[in-house]
Amino acid sequence: MSTTFDAIIIGTGQAGTPLAQRLTSSGMKIAIIERGLFGGTCVNTGCIPTKAMVASAYVANMARRAAEYGVTISGSISVDMKQVKARKDEISGKSNRGVETSLKGMSNCTVFEDHARFGSAQEIHVAGKILTTDQVFVNVGARASIPPIPGLQETGYLTNSTMMDVDFLPSHLVILGGGYIALEFGQMFRRFGSEVTIVEKGPRLADREDEDVSNALREILENEGITVRVNASVTRVVKRDGGIAIEGLPEDVQGSHLLVATGRKPNTDDLGLDKAGVETDKRGYIVVDDQLRTNIPGIWALGDCNGKGAFTHTSYNDYEIVAANLLDGANRRVSDRITAYAVYTDPPLGRAGMTVEQARKSGRKLMVGQRPMTRIGRAVEKGETQGFMKVVVDAETKEILGAAVLGTGGDEVIHSILDVMYAKQPYTLIQNAMHIHPTVSELIPTMLGEMKEG
Ligand SMILES: Cc1cc2nc3c(=O)[nH]c(=O)nc-3n(C[C@H](O)[C@H](O)[C@H](O)COP(=O)(O)OP(=O)(O)OC[C@H]3O[C@@H](n4cnc5c(N)ncnc54)[C@H](O)[C@@H]3O)c2cc1C
C-alpha cells in the first residue's frame, strides 16, 4: 500500500522547510522526511551553535583585554564550558524546536522521522512505507568528510557534529584542516583556554582567499597563540600519552583531542539515487542545471547536496529559485547570484564576488583599492584594528568585481558593496554616497577613490 503526495521533500535543511511552507500554502499535499535533527546543519551543528560559541569566545577575549579599555576585572578570567554549551544549546534548541513545531503544525504536511530512500523516480521508501509522487525535492545536506589517514578511525576524532557535545575544555585541540570551520573552532577554543594547533596540508589557511587575506587570518590566529602548521603531510594518527599524536608533518604534533575539519561530503550515498536514475558527480554531489533540476524530470536538488553552494544563504536562495520558478512562473537562476559569505573569526571576514586573483585570471584590466583597519576610525575607537578591506573593480566597465572586508563588522560591512554589485551600478555610485560616521563602511568611498591599477 502506498500513499500519494503532490510533493515529497527529503531533509529539513535551509531549503526544505521554507519550501514545505510555500508548497502547502499553494494548496499542495506534501510529505517531508527528516532522519536526524529538525533544521539540519545550520540549526544544530553549523551556523547557529558555532556563532553562539564564537560570541562566548569573543566575550572571554574582551574580558581578558578589559584593562586596555580602562575596565578592571578583579580575579582571573575563566570559561565555564558547561555554561557555554548550555547557552549554545538554548539558542540552537529554540530554532530546532521552532522548525519541528512549524512543520508538525502545518496543514497538508505529513512529517516522517526516518531515513528516506528512493525506490524509483516517483517512489520514496521511509519508515516501512512507500510514498509516491511526481515531484521530489532533495535537501539532504552534507556531513564532515573524513580523510583516509591510517589510524584515524581507531584513535577516534571529533567533527563539527560531535563538537556540539563538548562541555569541557580540551587541554590541546589539534585541528586537521585549515578552512573556515577549522579557523572558527580554532580561535574559539583558544579563547576558551585550550592550546590549539591547526594542521593544514596546503601552503596556507583559507586557500580560496587571496594570499594577503590568508596571511592576515594566519597572523590574527598566531597573535592569539594558535600554532599553525602548513604544508603538513600527515602519515598516521595514533594514541599516545593519553592523547592523540599526528605523525608526519615534518614533526609529530601531540594533543589531547583531534577535530577533523577537512571538508564536507554530500549525504547522497545512502539515498538510493541510482534507483531513481539521478546523476551525481564523482564527489557525490547531485548534478543540477541552473534552475536546480536534476537529470530526472520531477526531481530537484537544493542546498549543499547539489554542490552549488555550501552556506545557509545559498540553500535558502535555492529554495527561493525553485519556489519562484514553480509557483510564480518566474525564471530565476543560480547563475544570477553573486558569491557572498562570511568567516566568523574575530575579526570576521566578509566576502563578495571574485578574489583579486580570480579577477586577474579573467584577463580584465583592473583597479584595486585597499585600506588597513588601523586607518579606519571606528576600528581604532573599538580597539579592533586587525585586518584590512580591499576591493577590485573592472577598470573599463567600472563594475565592482569583488571585495573582502577582514575587520571588525566585516560580515555586515560587505553588504554595502554586495548590493551595489547586485544593482549592477558602477563603483562611482558608492564612491559618491554619504556614509554614516563613525563606521567601517564610511571608508569604502575613500578606498574606492584611492584605487590603483592592479
Ligand atoms: C561548523 C559549521 C559552521 C557553519 N557556519 C555557517 C555560517 O556561519 N553561515 C552559513 O551560511 N553557513 C554555515 N555553514 C553551512 C550551513 O550549515 C549549510 O550550508 C546549511 O545548513 C545548508 O544545508 P542544507 O539546507 O543543504 O541541508 P542541511 O541543513 O544539512 O539539512 C539536511 C537535512 O537532511 C537530513 N537528511 C539527510 N539525508 C536524509 C535522508 N536520506 N532521509 C531523511 N533525511 C535526511 C539531515 O538529517 C539534515 O537534517 C556551516 C556549516 C558547518 C558544518
Side-chain angles (χ1 to χ4, degrees), residues 206-353:
D207 65 357
R208 285 184 205 154
E209 305 304 332
D210 279 330
E211 203 169 338
D212 53 358
V213 173
S214 286
N215 292 343
L217 280 166
R218 178 173 177 169
E219 200 181 312
I220 287 163
L221 298 182
E222 287 181 334
N223 282 345
E224 295 192 22
I226 293 173
T227 304
V228 176
R229 302 280 198 94
V230 293
N231 294 316
S233 78
V234 176
T235 50
R236 199 164 65 120
V237 177
V238 291
K239 282 193 176 155
R240 193 184 293 165
D241 304 334
I244 288 176
I246 319 295
E247 295 184 345
L249 292 174
E251 301 124 51
D252 298 359
V253 170
Q254 204 166 320
S256 60
H257 295 80
L258 175 66
L259 165 63
V260 178
T262 47
R264 308 282 296 163
K265 183 182 160 111
N267 292 324
T268 53
D269 41 354
D270 50 4
L271 201 52
L273 287 170
D274 52 326
K275 296 263 169 53
V278 173
E279 194 189 335
T280 54
D281 68 14
K282 58 180 189 308
R283 296 165 62 211
Y285 288 98
I286 299 175
V287 177
V288 289
D289 66 11
D290 209 13
Q291 298 191 318
L292 304 164
R293 296 173 292 210
T294 69
N295 61 313
I296 302 296
I299 303 180
W300 288 257
L302 303 87
D304 290 8
C305 69
N306 65 26
K308 296 223 176 244
F311 297 100
T312 283
H313 45 278
T314 48
S315 181
Y316 189 82
N317 187 248
D318 284 359
Y319 141 70
E320 291 182 315
I321 291 168
V322 168
N325 294 348
L326 211 61
L327 303 171
D328 306 332
N331 188 25
R332 290 184 62 171
R333 292 170 185 280
V334 176
S335 52
D336 292 337
R337 70 188 178 207
I338 297 168
T339 300
Y341 54 87
V343 181
Y344 290 88
T345 45
D346 173 33
L349 168 67
R351 280 272 300 109

Side-chain angles (χ1 to χ4, degrees), residues 95-113:
S95 293
N96 161 267
R97 288 189 296 277
V99 173
E100 178 171 5
T101 312
S102 100
L103 287 171
K104 289 186 174 167
M106 206 175 276
S107 48
N108 284 324
C109 177
T110 307
V111 178
F112 291 90
E113 289 180 69

Side-chain angles (χ1 to χ4, degrees), residues 338-341 350-355 401-405 414 417-418 421:
I338 297 168
T339 300
Y341 54 87
R351 280 272 300 109
M354 295 183 196
T355 60
L401 299 174
V405 183
I414 194 71
I417 295 175
L418 182 63
M421 292 171 74

Side-chain angles (χ1 to χ4, degrees), residues 103-270:
L103 287 171
K104 289 186 174 167
M106 206 175 276
S107 48
N108 284 324
C109 177
T110 307
V111 178
F112 291 90
E113 289 180 69
D114 208 341
H115 182 94
R117 235 180 220 98
F118 280 93
S120 74
Q122 286 85 28
E123 210 177 80
I124 303 294
H125 297 194
V126 61
K129 297 187 173 63
I130 296 174
L131 318 182
T132 56
T133 187
D134 292 335
Q135 301 187 98
V136 183
F137 301 92
V138 183
N139 178 219
V140 291
R143 61 183 185 272
S145 142
I146 308 301
I149 299 172
L152 193 55
Q153 292 303 336
E154 297 76 24
T155 318
Y157 53 86
L158 293 156
T159 64
N160 69 292
S161 300
T162 50
M163 283 301 278
M164 296 298 116
D165 301 325
V166 171
D167 64 352
F168 56 89
L169 191 68
S171 60
H172 185 168
L173 181 65
V174 178
I175 305 180
L176 276 190
Y180 314 135
I181 293 174
L183 303 193
E184 290 181 13
F185 274 117
Q187 190 182 41
M188 80 170 83
F189 273 84
R190 179 67 194 139
R191 290 176 168 195
F192 292 151
S194 299
E195 198 180 325
V196 172
T197 303
I198 295 179
V199 175
E200 162 58 45
K201 72 171 188 280
R204 56 189 169 97
L205 301 179
D207 65 357
R208 285 184 205 154
E209 305 304 332
D210 279 330
E211 203 169 338
D212 53 358
V213 173
S214 286
N215 292 343
L217 280 166
R218 178 173 177 169
E219 200 181 312
I220 287 163
L221 298 182
E222 287 181 334
N223 282 345
E224 295 192 22
I226 293 173
T227 304
V228 176
R229 302 280 198 94
V230 293
N231 294 316
S233 78
V234 176
T235 50
R236 199 164 65 120
V237 177
V238 291
K239 282 193 176 155
R240 193 184 293 165
D241 304 334
I244 288 176
I246 319 295
E247 295 184 345
L249 292 174
E251 301 124 51
D252 298 359
V253 170
Q254 204 166 320
S256 60
H257 295 80
L258 175 66
L259 165 63
V260 178
T262 47
R264 308 282 296 163
K265 183 182 160 111
N267 292 324
T268 53
D269 41 354
D270 50 4

